[in-house]
Amino acid sequence: MSNQQKAANPTGAGKKPGLRMVFDSRLKLEFHGSKITSDAGLLAYRELDATLGLTDLGENLLSDGRTGKNTQHSMVAQMRQSIFSRLAGYEDTNDAERLAVDPTMRQVVGGRATEHTAASTSQMGRFETEVLTQPSNLKALTKMSGKWIDRLRERQPMRELILDMDSSVSETYGEQEGTAFNGHFGCTCYHPLFCFNQFGDVEQSLLRDGNVHSAKDWQAVLEPVVTRYQGRNIPRYFRADAAFANPELYEYLEAEGFEYAIRLPANDALQRDIEPLLTRPVGRPSNAPVVWYAGFLYQAKSWIQARRVVAKVEWHNGELFPRVGFIVTNLTRPAKRVVRFYNQRGTAEQWIKEGKNAVKWTRLSCHDFVDNQVRLHLFVLAYNLGNFLRQAVLPPAVRHWTLTTLREKLIKIGAKVVRHSRKIVFQMAEVAVPRELFQTILERIGRLRSPAAATG
């Protein structure tokens, strides 16, 4: 092998001369891609993955029709590479060429990658656009986020279930199949739909054309989630904004035993029912808003029965008209508490923002719609894994960290890798996350090895 070939060896067998700095001649820069990593914190997420057996589920759920050299890496190994690279902020398969030799990624992927390299860009491209797009694999991938949540909840059971449904926007910039102009968002986009639980986990997601109504296909997203939780003796709730004010949805939730609070668009009939509250309060205006609540029965023409509606009327100093909001609900709690419960759905918007910023799940740049469906599901799995560690593992002192903060402080830990005959040592940089915090994280992951583990 020539010296030039050695220097190009991705495993680091060859050497290149160091770079000198003019401002200080003592400095010498060397590049050791296979010995230095900037993502050592991924090992904590891989420990959580192994403890819960998350990516291992792919072994039984995904069917492998590959042959020949395409099978160098197992389906589970390539799925790990897809998910963990996205979790670390590498949203394109183009990054696989460099990540294939990264020591952290090789350990995370496992199998052949630990001694050689992880999958290349072309291998990952075929995996995501040819293997995972097969109907049986796409169906399995769609269900996987729910199965992951079930694995976690075997260790940390729910006391109640609160579902928040909301749509989002994924802007597009090419000729992607299914892309369309959406007047509400004012851009050309896809219009995905998400269903979250109260912990911020994505229970189900669906990629949709850009110009569909916000509530379109709500049943395709909600029904699998409701089915998974049937038979569990816990209170179940649902919240959504006014786009989901649909009598078919009310009837479905009532039949399934869900209590709900859904924003209701205002109309003249609703305004008449609260007419006394729409008269400006007498006396000198207060600096603080004057807030009134009311509850009453209401039946729209399209409803088969009357339902409870809660109204909130806010009079603000300096404003001529009050701010009025209506919520249709089957909750029996006082009107003020119904409004407070509904307002908590605002966290779903925060989770969508984290999905966009932390794992870049808006990067749906493939041409074929089904390819982008696969990408969205992989982004969702990466998001869920990150959220599992945040809400089920992090100690209280740092549980407020966002997924973006975790990526910058925990995942992006630099490390030098030293290989011995029987062990591999990651010499971790101790900057944003000290040894004690990393040790606590690993200890708390360890508690999840047994069912119904204490949250602590």
Side-chain angles (χ1 to χ4, degrees):
M1 182 181 290
S2 68
N3 291 336
Q4 185 176 2
Q5 287 174 316
K6 288 182 179 180
N9 191 324
T11 62
K15 293 183 179 179
K16 292 184 179 180
L19 304 179
R20 296 290 183 177
M21 305 300 294
V22 175
F23 79 92
D24 191 334
S25 60
R26 296 172 299 174
L27 295 181
K28 181 180 179 181
L29 309 183
E30 294 184 352
F31 293 81
H32 301 277
S34 63
K35 298 178 183 178
I36 305 293
T37 179
S38 61
D39 301 308
L42 281 177
L43 297 173
Y45 292 86
R46 178 67 182 94
E47 183 76 358
L48 177 60
D49 169 34
T51 297
L52 299 177
L54 302 178
T55 54
D56 287 337
L57 287 171
E59 186 173 354
N60 296 323
L61 294 175
L62 301 176
S63 57
D64 190 357
R66 300 172 301 159
T67 59
K69 292 184 179 180
N70 290 336
T71 61
Q72 289 180 340
H73 299 281
S74 69
M75 295 279 283
V76 170
Q78 289 190 271
M79 188 171 73
R80 285 181 189 143
Q81 189 168 340
S82 291
I83 293 169
F84 280 87
S85 61
R86 285 172 166 84
L87 184 58
Y90 306 106
E91 64 268 16
D92 290 319
T93 55
N94 294 336
D95 297 308
E97 210 63 49
R98 182 177 65 81
L99 294 175
V101 300
D102 182 87
T104 299
M105 186 57 65
R106 288 162 59 197
Q107 294 300 319
V108 162
V109 169
R112 183 182 185 276
T114 57
E115 298 300 327
H116 300 280
T117 63
S120 66
T121 295
S122 59
Q123 289 172 318
M124 292 306 300
R126 285 193 299 269
F127 174 69
E128 294 187 8
T129 62
E130 297 177 13
V131 177
L132 292 183
T133 55
Q134 296 171 10
S136 61
N137 285 338
L138 181 57
K139 184 178 180 180
L141 197 61
T142 303
K143 295 179 178 179
M144 202 168 292
S145 59
K147 291 184 177 296
W148 279 25
I149 293 170
D150 290 343
R151 281 291 177 92
L152 175 61
R153 292 304 151 201
E154 289 172 2
R155 273 73 169 184
Q156 292 186 347
M158 285 183 172
R159 296 179 180 176
E160 63 179 3
L161 172 67
I162 304 175
L163 298 178
D164 290 302
M165 183 169 281
D166 206 351
S167 65
S168 181
V169 56
S170 295
E171 293 190 42
T172 54
Y173 302 95
E175 298 298 324
Q176 291 103 310
E177 184 181 10
T179 185
F181 181 80
N182 187 299
H184 176 74
F185 297 112
C187 64
T188 302
C189 62
Y190 287 124
H191 194 184
L193 184 61
F194 298 94
C195 182
F196 296 90
N197 63 30
Q198 70 266 35
F199 304 104
D201 308 321
V202 178
E203 292 275 356
Q204 192 83 0
S205 62
L206 178 67
L207 187 65
R208 305 176 300 175
D209 291 351
N211 57 358
V212 301
H213 186 269
S214 294
K216 181 177 173 56
D217 298 318
W218 64 264
Q219 195 161 357
V221 173
L222 183 59
E223 192 167 13
V225 181
V226 172
T227 300
R228 278 186 29 247
Y229 286 97
Q230 282 177 343
R232 305 189 194 188
N233 189 24
I234 56 174
R236 296 177 294 169
Y237 305 93
F238 179 88
R239 296 181 295 220
D241 64 21
F244 298 86
N246 182 337
E248 293 181 1
L249 177 56
Y250 312 152
E251 293 165 18
Y252 176 80
L253 293 169
E254 290 160 357
E256 294 294 339
F258 273 74
E259 295 183 273
Y260 58 84
I262 300 172
R263 185 71 178 260
L264 195 62
N267 60 47
D268 291 341
L270 290 170
Q271 298 275 5
R272 285 195 296 271
D273 283 328
I274 60 166
E275 191 169 357
L277 303 183
L278 300 180
T279 302
R280 177 177 291 279
V282 297
R284 186 173 182 177
S286 169
N287 289 328
V290 176
V291 183
W292 291 328
Y293 300 91
F296 53 91
L297 287 178
Y298 170 79
Q299 184 173 359
K301 292 181 180 179
S302 60
W303 297 5
I304 60 174
Q305 65 183 40
R307 292 182 172 89
R308 186 188 184 202
V309 170
V310 167
K312 179 184 179 182
V313 179
E314 293 182 78
W315 287 95
H316 289 255
N317 189 10
E319 295 184 6
L320 184 60
F321 299 103
R323 304 178 189 180
V324 183
F326 298 97
I327 298 169
V328 60
T329 184
N330 60 351
L331 291 165
T332 58
R333 61 188 69 176
K336 185 176 182 179
R337 289 182 56 197
V338 171
V339 172
R340 186 184 301 126
F341 172 76
Y342 171 81
N343 286 341
Q344 290 169 352
R345 69 162 297 276
T347 54
E349 298 175 3
Q350 178 62 34
W351 295 325
I352 288 176
K353 186 181 296 184
E354 287 206 331
K356 292 179 177 180
N357 295 336
V359 298
K360 311 291 178 60
W361 69 24
T362 56
R363 288 298 299 269
L364 307 175
S365 53
C366 295
H367 174 270
D368 292 352
F369 186 82
V370 67
D371 294 349
N372 287 317
Q373 280 184 305
V374 166
R375 285 177 64 86
L376 178 62
H377 291 311
L378 291 171
F379 279 121
V380 164
L381 291 173
Y383 166 90
N384 274 353
L385 179 57
N387 195 55
F388 287 177
L389 187 134
R390 175 177 62 177
Q391 50 98 356
V393 173
L394 286 187
V398 294
R399 197 170 291 164
H400 64 281
W401 282 5
T402 65
L403 296 187
T404 302
T405 302
L406 281 168
R407 187 188 66 214
E408 295 172 351
K409 292 187 176 183
L410 177 59
I411 293 177
K412 297 298 180 181
I413 295 178
K416 178 182 179 182
V417 183
V418 180
R419 291 178 175 266
H420 302 287
S421 57
R422 295 186 178 180
K423 60 183 177 181
I424 303 171
V425 179
F426 278 69
Q427 297 177 346
M428 315 275 279
E430 194 171 12
V431 186
V433 176
R435 181 187 186 280
E436 290 75 15
L437 176 55
F438 205 99
Q439 181 180 4
T440 300
I441 290 172
L442 295 181
E443 289 173 350
R444 293 172 72 91
I445 291 173
R447 298 180 195 174
L448 295 174
R449 290 193 174 92
S450 60
T455 55

